[in-house]
Amino acid sequence: MPFSSLGLSPALLRAVSTKAYAAPTPIQTLAIPPVLQGRDVLGSAQTGSGKTLAFALPLLQQLEQSTLYSPRRVLALILVPTRELAAQVGDEIRSLATLLPQAMKVTTVFGGVSINPQMMGLRSGTDIMVATPGRLLDLVDHNALTLSDVKTLVLDEADRLLDLGFAEEIERILALLPAQRQNLFFSATFPQSVQALANTLLRDPVRVDVLPNPQDAPDIQQRAIAVDPSRRTQLLRHLIQDNAWSRVLVFVATKHAAEIVADKLRKADIHAEPFHGVLSQGKRNQVLMDFKASRVTVVIATDLAARGIDIAQLPVVVNYDLPRSAVDYTHRIGRTGRAGESGLAVNFVSAETETHFHLIEKRHGLALPLEHVPGFEPTETEVTPSPGNGGIKGKRPSKKDKLRAAAARGTP
Ligand code: ADP
Ligand code: MG
């Protein structure tokens, strides 16, 4: 089915044609028509399946007709969980908006950078705002914008935005929006709990689920390698060198681990950089830019990098520490095998984490053979606490656990 059968305007079709996409992806085909009709949509489709354009194209079309101009007003609000994703989504929409005949303003705001230029930029309002929740509220508190004219609210990576970590911020934002609005929620995953909450926020939603069918499911080969926790860095180094991997995204459980592993790889002459929330925004941008430009071979990241980020030709993802949940697993490995490319996801599994890994496998209907790499055969068989092996559910409090504990104590 071509883009032209979805009800998009001629101007928008011309803009899309510059991208040289052969056809809309399944989520685009199914979601664009109801969004154009003004319906609320809950859209779920696997990672890398083109969800951004599924909401961005109809949004742009609706705004083509907008005539409301007032200072500080925002017509469409797109919320995303990380700064990098805000930048990426903002850039993707802007690249299309600039091709449209009438001027349309796309503004991206996120924290970690000076707020003043963002405030100045909002004086004349904006058509589309892409924002992380925290900075959006800072701007509201500075009277830099008003949310009372928002016609459409988009939550990208909606399940992440609706989970406990963002609950307070999202609640405040929702209270500032007009009750009459269109709501578009998109994510690769919608755990039951989040779906129930989503349903209370959506009005008679159209549910669009693109189930991964074998033909268009991302082509990601998954492997599990048994290794003692203390030997993981050496194994990682061995795999990178032995396979001549040129671009690898490695997930670890903590910022500290990201620093340590990156440091050790650098000492072995592998160009590795850590990526986590304590780094300055400038540094975070630099690392991603260098990674995309092949100036950095390995990025050692926390789950901060698990959501939404689109890196073309990222052939390998390694779970050095296993993700906490089956949902996190989906998002992490979904950084590879994007837009029809193939990818490889490697999991390091130890005696201690094997049970947890089997749970993740079970949720995904997997049963991967536990491989041994010559020279790295595991020797540990008993479950012994290992301080370097955090991130396992039940072993270490997560941000959510901490929030729950704080809520129980009655402190923020
Ligand atoms: P998701 O949000 O579902 O993870 P993205 O919207 O980030 O996926 O898109 C993933 C990649 O697919 C991007 O590089 C994007 O440019 C590309 N893409 C989007 N739509 C199409 C299409 N119709 N055909 C081919 N590639 C597409
Ligand atoms: Mg996305």
Side-chain angles (χ1 to χ4, degrees), residues 255-297:
K255 298 162 183 128
H256 185 63
E259 293 286 343
I260 305 255
V261 176
D263 213 45
K264 284 191 183 150
L265 290 181
R266 273 203 297 264
K267 287 194 177 120
D269 273 338
I270 293 171
H271 203 164
E273 288 287 346
F275 181 87
H276 55 71
V278 171
L279 299 174
S280 72
Q281 193 53 42
K283 178 71 188 169
R284 275 162 64 169
N285 295 347
Q286 190 63 48
V287 170
L288 276 190
M289 238 163 59
D290 287 347
F291 195 38
K292 289 177 185 176
S294 298
R295 287 187 292 268
V296 164
T297 311

Side-chain angles (χ1 to χ4, degrees), residues 2 9 49 76 96 99 159 222 350:
S9 71
S49 62
L96 286 167
L99 297 171
D159 63 335
Q222 299 173 61
S350 68

Side-chain angles (χ1 to χ4, degrees), residues 49-87:
S49 62
K51 291 187 290 294
T52 316
L53 290 190
F55 60 78
L57 291 176
L59 206 60
L60 284 165
Q61 175 148 332
Q62 286 165 341
L63 292 174
E64 276 188 296
Q65 275 111 44
S66 75
T67 49
L68 178 69
Y69 285 101
S70 68
R72 298 180 304 139
R73 66 97 176 87
V74 177
L75 294 182
L77 176 62
I78 300 168
L79 294 176
V80 298
T82 69
R83 301 166 185 173
E84 285 73 18
L85 187 53

Side-chain angles (χ1 to χ4, degrees), residues 288-359:
L288 276 190
M289 238 163 59
D290 287 347
F291 195 38
K292 289 177 185 176
S294 298
R295 287 187 292 268
V296 164
T297 311
V298 189
V299 168
I300 318 282
T302 58
D303 275 302
L304 177 65
R307 290 284 186 153
I309 295 177
D310 187 50
I311 300 165
Q313 284 121 40
L314 173 61
V316 189
V317 169
V318 175
N319 284 321
Y320 181 105
D321 285 316
L322 292 176
R324 301 178 60 84
S325 70
V327 164
D328 290 344
Y329 184 79
T330 303
H331 290 279
R332 282 184 178 190
I333 75 166
R335 293 318 100 212
T336 184
R338 296 178 73 74
E341 292 169 10
S342 61
L344 170 67
V346 176
N347 298 284
F348 288 175
V349 182
S350 68
E352 194 194 343
T353 63
E354 196 174 336
T355 312
H356 177 64
F357 186 67
H358 289 324
L359 284 175

Side-chain angles (χ1 to χ4, degrees), residues 153-204:
L153 169 71
V154 181
L155 300 189
D156 189 19
E157 302 288 335
D159 63 335
R160 176 77 188 93
L161 287 170
L162 293 173
D163 81 16
L164 221 57
F166 283 102
E168 243 174 77
E169 288 168 344
I170 296 295
E171 207 173 306
R172 266 195 72 198
I173 293 169
L174 289 174
L176 296 167
L177 296 173
Q180 267 296 332
R181 60 167 196 266
Q182 184 179 21
N183 299 289
L184 309 175
F185 293 2
F186 281 86
S187 181
T189 49
F190 277 105
Q192 281 293 315
S193 55
V194 176
Q195 207 166 298
L197 175 59
N199 285 336
T200 65
L201 299 171
L202 295 163
R203 189 176 30 94
D204 185 25

Side-chain angles (χ1 to χ4, degrees), residues 40 165 187 198 211 221 228 231 250 256 311 320 336 370 373 402:
D40 279 9
S187 181
L211 298 172
Q221 186 201 352
D228 290 337
R231 302 214 58 208
V250 177
H256 185 63
I311 300 165
Y320 181 105
T336 184
L370 207 48
V373 174
K402 284 178 197 155

